Amino acid sequence: MFERLKKDVEVVFDRDPAAKSVVEVLINYPGLHAIWFHRLSHKLYLKEHYTLARFISQVGRFLTQVEIHPGATIGEGLFIDHGAGIVIGETAEIGNDVTLYQGVTLGGTGKEKGKRHPTIGNNVVISSGAKVLGSFKVGNNVKIGAGSVVLKEVPDNCTVVGIPGKIVVKDGIRIKNDAERIAKHQADLDHNCLPDPVDEMLCSLRGRLEALEKKVILLEEADDE
């Protein structure tokens, strides 16, 4: 148990430059507390003590502003930064070394029974306010931009931005037009350095308009002559 707690604290120091001391991390990091509440409630959930498990998870939610259903499966090395407003659904599965920022939702899209929440791979970063909705898989080494809404499966090594989420880089190669995303290693936390597909489309349209204007000017000059 102490080894696991030690690893939890090490994860915070590894990914949050604001962390100053072990005591500070143990006392003042609600994301860490939320994970500990979940471990207890999840064990009770697996033993079919559903009401008690939900009660403990709600106490954790009240204290941390992070709502993790006790049925969710969470791997090692999860880091929840700030944590306020995070929601993780019952059938969600989270791999190892995942980072979640405030306002993230791993939710479902309807009233269907069974698996209805996403499966998140390893080394994934999900930025502030992003929503991942549905029972699909988000692959390993994926980065999801702030405010994105992801509604379908994402392959490994991709960066997703926008509403609905679009893959803009894949395996380190920028995808033109409509698609894909970034290769990585460990926790790539530069979630502020993502392409903007809307801005790129507007720039493309502006370039085409300028080219058309030049052609019109040339045609008008030819008519005058």
Side-chain angles (χ1 to χ4, degrees):
M1 181 183 73
F2 289 107
E3 274 298 315
R4 196 168 191 187
L5 293 177
K6 180 182 177 182
K7 183 175 180 181
D8 291 338
V9 173
E10 288 174 348
V11 167
V12 174
F13 279 104
D14 181 52
R15 300 187 214 167
D16 187 0
K20 299 294 190 297
S21 69
V22 172
V23 173
E24 179 196 17
V25 170
L26 291 175
I27 295 175
N28 297 320
Y29 275 69
L32 188 60
H33 303 156
I35 293 169
W36 291 344
F37 272 108
H38 174 71
R39 285 185 188 151
L40 177 57
S41 65
H42 185 63
K43 286 185 178 180
L44 292 169
Y45 187 87
L46 294 178
K47 293 180 179 179
E48 300 184 358
H49 300 304
Y50 300 127
T51 301
L52 181 57
R54 287 301 301 272
F55 175 75
I56 291 173
S57 73
Q58 291 302 301
V59 172
R61 177 194 181 205
F62 176 77
L63 295 174
T64 67
Q65 298 185 53
V66 177
E67 181 169 349
I68 308 177
H69 193 284
T73 302
I74 296 177
E76 299 291 330
L78 173 65
F79 176 56
I80 297 175
D81 194 12
H82 297 291
I86 284 178
V87 177
I88 300 175
E90 179 184 14
T91 61
E93 299 175 48
I94 299 176
N96 299 324
D97 302 316
V98 171
T99 301
L100 305 179
Y101 289 89
Q102 65 270 22
V104 166
T105 298
L106 305 181
T109 55
K111 294 183 178 180
E112 70 275 10
K113 299 292 185 180
K115 175 68 171 167
R116 59 192 185 279
H117 299 98
T119 296
I120 308 298
N122 301 324
N123 303 315
V124 173
V125 176
I126 305 180
S127 304
S128 304
K131 313 300 177 186
V132 185
L133 307 175
S135 59
F136 53 84
K137 182 177 179 180
V138 173
N140 301 324
N141 309 312
V142 165
K143 184 189 292 182
I144 297 174
S148 300
V149 178
V150 183
L151 301 173
K152 59 184 179 181
E153 185 166 334
V154 180
D156 295 346
N157 307 315
C158 289
T159 296
V160 177
V161 298
I163 303 174
K166 304 290 186 184
I167 300 172
V168 292
V169 183
K170 181 177 175 62
D171 296 323
I173 300 172
R174 292 285 297 276
I175 305 298
K176 296 180 180 179
N177 301 327
D178 201 318
E180 333 217 346
R181 107 102 152 152
I182 279 187
K184 6 179 146 313
H185 54 284
Q186 295 187 319
D188 180 357
L189 303 181
D190 294 327
H191 57 104
N192 60 316
C193 301
L194 300 179
D196 184 343
V198 176
D199 182 61
E200 290 178 356
M201 180 61 70
L202 290 174
C203 288
S204 175
L205 288 172
R206 184 173 62 187
R208 295 182 66 181
L209 284 172
E210 290 174 352
L212 288 171
E213 286 174 352
K214 289 178 181 178
K215 288 182 179 180
V216 169
I217 290 171
L218 290 173
L219 290 171
E220 288 176 345
E221 289 176 350
D223 283 344
D224 292 340
E225 291 176 359

